[in-house]
Amino acid sequence: MIATNSYADVGIKVLALPYRILQPAHPDPSRARSVAYQGRLGMCFAGSAVNSLMIKESVAAVLQDLQYAPGHTDVSMKGICEFIFKAYKLISIEICKTAVGPKGIASFIVCGQCPSTGLLRAFKFSTNSNNVHSLDEVLVASKHEFLGSGSKHVNPKATLVRNKDYLSVLRDIINDESIESVGGNIQYGTLHNNDFTVYGIMELKDGVHHWRGALDMNSDYFMSGHSDLISGISYIDPFDTFGKSGAV
């Protein structure tokens, strides 16, 4: 949401977040720094577009060159998210001081393979109406976590197993015109080992559309120039492919 009763479904809300943790600096400054851990985390947002943008830009910049002290630093997934949480609190507090005020709240989830254990873990960053921030690990006791204003419209008794089940719920909420705060195209990503991969959504409707957020990468606007660069991301066709012949 970008203003009172004003919505723009154009933001990128699912993205890969590269991180790199360096070994301690060598006494010889001419020696190259060694990388101890690196990978790509998954990140998904809900809430204020302004706050989300500021958090994404800031976090993406600082995660490129972290450093740890052997025997002292927590290099687990929780340790990484604690570092992100510091930036999240600082940015959210400043945004909520502005005219955006209560509408400046943004929540998000970060997931990835834990450097210290190899397990896949996810953490939720959230802010309440009193501008109190919290960091909680999710997907521990439950198989799913719904984020944002549309989450209250999900049937808590629904049996959700496959990817298609979750995407169908999301599509129904997007298509429900009575839920103004949720719209746009589905955004999708998967986490495998230490790499989060974002996929576009293919839609067969009055032609072939390759959606990445609000951008149709298969439109004439992007495809008309023979010498132009084109998008190289992969696309899924969730409702015509997922769930058929055993696919998930």
Side-chain angles (χ1 to χ4, degrees):
M1 183 152 61
I2 59 176
T4 303
N5 297 324
S6 177
Y7 302 90
D9 300 312
V10 298
I12 296 296
K13 292 298 183 85
V14 175
L15 68 154
L17 190 66
Y19 76 93
R20 185 174 69 158
I21 303 177
L22 302 173
Q23 297 278 9
H26 194 277
D28 182 355
S30 65
R31 295 276 295 271
R33 302 288 298 277
S34 298
V35 178
Y37 308 96
Q38 61 183 344
R40 294 204 304 173
L41 308 174
M43 206 172 198
C44 64
F45 285 86
S48 165
V50 175
N51 202 346
S52 297
L53 175 61
M54 297 299 180
I55 292 169
K56 285 189 290 186
E57 294 296 319
S58 299
V59 169
V62 297
L63 286 186
Q64 293 294 319
D65 291 296
L66 300 175
Q67 179 179 308
Y68 86 109
H72 298 281
T73 307
D74 181 3
V75 292
S76 68
M77 189 65 194
K78 182 179 180 181
I80 294 174
C81 287
E82 289 281 6
F83 180 83
I84 296 174
F85 188 55
K86 294 178 181 178
Y88 168 67
K89 286 195 295 183
L90 179 62
I91 294 170
S92 293
I93 289 171
E94 292 301 314
I95 290 292
C96 289
K97 286 180 181 178
T98 68
V100 176
K103 303 301 182 183
I105 293 175
S107 300
F108 61 92
I109 291 174
V110 173
C111 62
Q113 179 173 318
C114 181
S116 61
T117 66
L119 299 175
L120 301 181
R121 302 176 70 183
F123 290 82
K124 181 179 179 180
F125 301 68
S126 55
T127 305
N128 64 22
S129 57
N130 294 319
N131 207 15
V132 176
H133 312 283
S134 60
L135 173 64
D136 301 289
E137 185 166 8
V138 295
L139 303 181
V140 178
S142 173
K143 294 183 179 180
H144 49 251
E145 181 73 22
F146 296 99
L147 185 69
S149 60
S151 61
K152 62 179 177 286
H153 298 282
V154 179
N155 179 3
K157 297 182 180 180
T159 302
L160 305 174
V161 180
R162 305 166 302 171
N163 284 336
K164 184 179 178 181
D165 295 333
Y166 293 99
L167 294 176
S168 295
V169 168
L170 181 56
R171 179 185 59 179
D172 292 343
I173 294 176
I174 289 173
N175 291 338
D176 189 336
E177 295 182 357
S178 67
I179 308 174
E180 295 182 348
S181 60
V182 182
N185 298 298
I186 289 174
Q187 299 182 37
Y188 179 83
T190 63
L191 183 64
H192 180 67
N193 293 331
N194 200 26
D195 186 40
F196 185 82
T197 302
V198 176
Y199 292 87
I201 299 293
M202 185 173 70
E203 180 185 41
L204 303 176
K205 182 179 180 182
D206 300 323
V208 180
H209 305 277
H210 291 169
W211 295 108
R212 177 65 175 108
L215 303 177
D216 183 0
M217 308 309 298
N218 196 46
S219 65
D220 290 341
Y221 186 79
F222 285 103
M223 302 296 290
S224 59
H226 296 294
S227 62
D228 292 345
L229 291 168
I230 62 173
S231 172
I233 69 172
S234 298
Y235 296 87
I236 62 169
D237 181 8
F239 303 111
D240 289 330
T241 303
F242 281 15
K244 292 183 178 180
S245 301
V248 295

